[in-house]
Amino acid sequence: MPGRAVVIGGGAIGVASAYFLHHTGWQVTVVDRGEIGRGCSYGNACLITPAHSHPLPGPGVMQQGVRWLFRADSPLYVKPRLDPAFLRWAWQFRRFCTRDASERSARALLALSRMSLDLFEDLARAPGPGFFFQRKGLLHVYLTDDAMTEARREQEAFRHAGFDARLLSGQETLDLEPALSPHVRGGVHITGEAHGHSFEFVRSLAARLEPRGVRLLTHRAVSGITARGGRIEGVALATPAEHLPADLVVLAAGAWTPALAAPLNISIPMQPAKGYSCTVNAYPGSPTLPVYISGTRVVITPIGDRLRFGGTLELAGFDDRLDETRYRAVVAAATRALNDRLEMKQEESWFGYRPVTPDGLPIIARAAGVDGLIVAAGHAMLGFTQAPGTGKLVAELANGHQPSVPLEPFRLNRF
């Protein structure tokens, strides 16, 4: 029977988990060390894209990473460091850079992402405070003639995976999205994909939950998860000290999840991967479609009256500095793809830590040896896309129901 649940983490995964737990009868408290939604949910690229459901490790990724190692503005940067946890993670990562492993992971991610997109539709229509959500597709653009070879390969891969992907000439791309630069050589339009305001999404779910009795405890650091005899007892908070009794704890703290699990002798191989974004005011004639710029891996996303540029992945640990070179590289890539000189009005710079596992798959599983603990973390660049699906799976796990998608690929003990 449902009882008391504490969700650690007030981002998209945590709040979605709280939402589905509440709707299946649990008494839920959400705890966050900061404000609800102010982590990766605040500044990510805002895409809801099953078509991008591929893991970080794959054929050629290690070689590409080495080539980019000495480029300060590269899309992927790994900071060399003698950190034992990172070195173990990197050794495991290389094992998953095979074609077979990548394809298996992609199938699992795609199933979760497709389920999640359907849930976004339901949540957008549900009563209560709304959030920005549109389903206009995703436009890949290519800025060189050589890149058009890659465009044809990508279109074929998307179609093979069951997506409606249309190859466009340069003029057809500009007709579809006039805000783009005339230097664009072509594009691939993947219909059916969506985008939304991730921060609004989290805040809207939280605003629906609070009047129904769900407690939202913000600016409260967790000092530990308490257990006795292999069974969860609750969550200890610091400043002020408080103990929250619980029959269920959902650990959805993103990149901070391993540190919270370690005192329970639960090892979670996960690294923080820093991502950057820049958000400015939209302007007359600015893009109306989300745009993915091939080669740079930068995304341009219209979110209401604002425009966001997001990209880069930096494995540098919990480095709390905004790297100006990498940030400006994201802005420059977006600017080159647009046809107007960008006025950076009300510019907001941001970075956040994406939680990345060695195989690029999230962990959505009960923790062996600690009855009443569920881990829901490690979604890398797909946290927003997969939030509703993960939340529903957490509730299914908590209630002993048949999962909506197979959970075997997301088990905790796979490493």
Side-chain angles (χ1 to χ4, degrees), residues 54-57 61 65 68-69 71-79 81 86 89 93 271-277 296-298 310-317 323 326-327 329-330 351-357 360 379-382:
H54 41 258
L56 181 58
V61 169
W68 280 339
L69 188 60
R71 273 186 51 192
D73 62 347
S74 62
L76 170 63
Y77 175 70
V78 181
K79 181 181 180 180
R81 62 193 192 279
F86 171 70
W89 180 91
F93 179 91
Q271 285 291 309
K274 194 188 296 183
Y276 292 84
S277 75
T296 64
R297 303 186 185 184
V298 167
T312 198
L313 188 146
E314 179 182 331
L315 285 160
D323 186 314
R326 299 187 64 72
Y327 172 73
V330 170
F351 71 84
Y353 302 106
R354 305 181 184 109
V356 182
T357 62
H379 293 73
M381 288 75 72
L382 292 169

Side-chain angles (χ1 to χ4, degrees), residues 323-380:
D323 186 314
E324 190 70 22
T325 299
R326 299 187 64 72
Y327 172 73
R328 288 298 161 196
V330 170
V331 176
T335 303
R336 282 194 298 272
L338 297 173
N339 66 4
D340 286 327
R341 185 178 181 278
L342 188 64
E343 294 184 18
M344 304 288 285
K345 291 185 177 179
Q346 291 192 289
E347 177 181 354
E348 182 179 7
S349 59
W350 175 90
F351 71 84
Y353 302 106
R354 305 181 184 109
V356 182
T357 62
D359 62 357
L361 291 173
I363 297 163
I364 309 170
R366 286 188 172 273
V370 186
D371 190 21
L373 179 65
I374 293 176
V375 178
H379 293 73

Side-chain angles (χ1 to χ4, degrees), residues 256-273:
W256 288 270
T257 297
L260 291 167
L264 298 172
N265 295 317
I266 298 171
S267 176
I268 300 178
M270 190 180 296
Q271 285 291 309

